[in-house]
Amino acid sequence: AQTVTQSQPEMSVQEAETVTLSCTYDTSENNYYLFWYKQPPSRQMILVIRQEAYKQQNATENRFSVNFQKAAKSFSLKISDSQLGDTAMYFCAFMNQGAQKLVFGQGTRLTINP
Amino acid sequence: GAVVSQHPSWVICKSGTSVKIECRSLDFQATTMFWYRQFPKQSLMLMATSNEGSKATYEQGVEKDKFLINHASLTLSTLTVTSAHPEDSSFYICSAQLAGETQYFGPGTRLLVL
């Protein structure tokens, strides 16, 4: 069974700093998708970024980028120029191609301080 | 695009009553929808996978007679918590899957059973 591990329960940085959230996963499959979701205090789950495993190029969405290391089974999220609105729980998630289900990590609570 | 709505956003009910929660994909058709439960400060726990026009697939430990799921159209799935009890109080979140890949989440429903 696939597992997703987020080793940092909580992180805190100052506004405008760069922060990296870690995520590792375990799978024997070759084709899959990886996601980062953000859950702010409103509890609405918001898709931050997505990566297809067959793509070598790291996904980027504005201030958010990932470092996808397929061999190491690592999928970290980098937030540049952090903003107060980035304060949220961040969940890393894995999905096998064609499997439908998402496997979530335990989450990292990120606080951006003014 | 890819907006999912959920109604109601929160509900308080008496023990023994049934509560229905609706999940709608507003701007896309979703052949698959998912229902999750989330306890405070924890990750999402998948309850069931709902495919349009067929019976839902429940995760191990989830009582299908307790949590009735109906997915009658490509844009609507409902979760009915039957004979609700205080231990059913939780945050319920639905998601709709776009093109067999990315899941987009509703804003969630807070259920409090007195």
Side-chain angles (χ1 to χ4, degrees), chain B residues 45-113:
Chain B
M45 181 187 78
L46 180 65
M47 298 175 66
T49 302
S50 169
N51 288 296
E52 186 263 339
S54 62
K55 290 183 178 180
T57 302
Y58 291 82
E59 294 300 300
Q60 191 172 7
V62 178
E63 299 176 58
K64 60 181 180 182
D65 295 329
K66 174 75 170 176
F67 300 100
L68 300 179
I69 292 172
N70 183 276
H71 192 166
S73 78
L74 288 172
T75 59
L76 172 65
S77 176
T78 60
L79 168 68
T80 301
V81 183
T82 62
S83 186
H85 291 283
E87 58 266 29
D88 299 324
S89 298
S90 191
F91 187 65
Y92 293 88
I93 311 175
C94 73
S95 71
Q97 195 167 43
L98 180 60
E101 299 175 355
T102 304
Q103 288 186 30
Y104 292 91
F105 288 82
T109 297
R110 290 171 176 79
L111 171 63
L112 177 61
V113 185

Side-chain angles (χ1 to χ4, degrees), chain A residues 25-72:
Chain A
Y25 57 94
D26 186 23
T27 183
S28 57
E29 302 295 327
N30 193 48
N31 297 318
Y32 50 86
Y33 302 93
L34 293 161
F35 306 86
W36 278 98
Y37 285 92
K38 164 186 176 181
Q39 188 178 40
S42 68
R43 301 188 79 175
Q44 165 80 63
M45 291 285 283
I46 301 167
L47 177 67
V48 175
I49 203 164
R50 154 192 133 135
Q51 174 83 41
E52 293 93 338
Y54 66 85
K55 289 187 177 178
Q56 292 186 336
Q57 186 173 8
N58 289 323
T60 299
E61 287 289 340
N62 300 312
R63 298 183 294 107
F64 299 88
S65 61
V66 297
N67 183 3
F68 174 47
Q69 301 290 328
K70 191 172 184 179

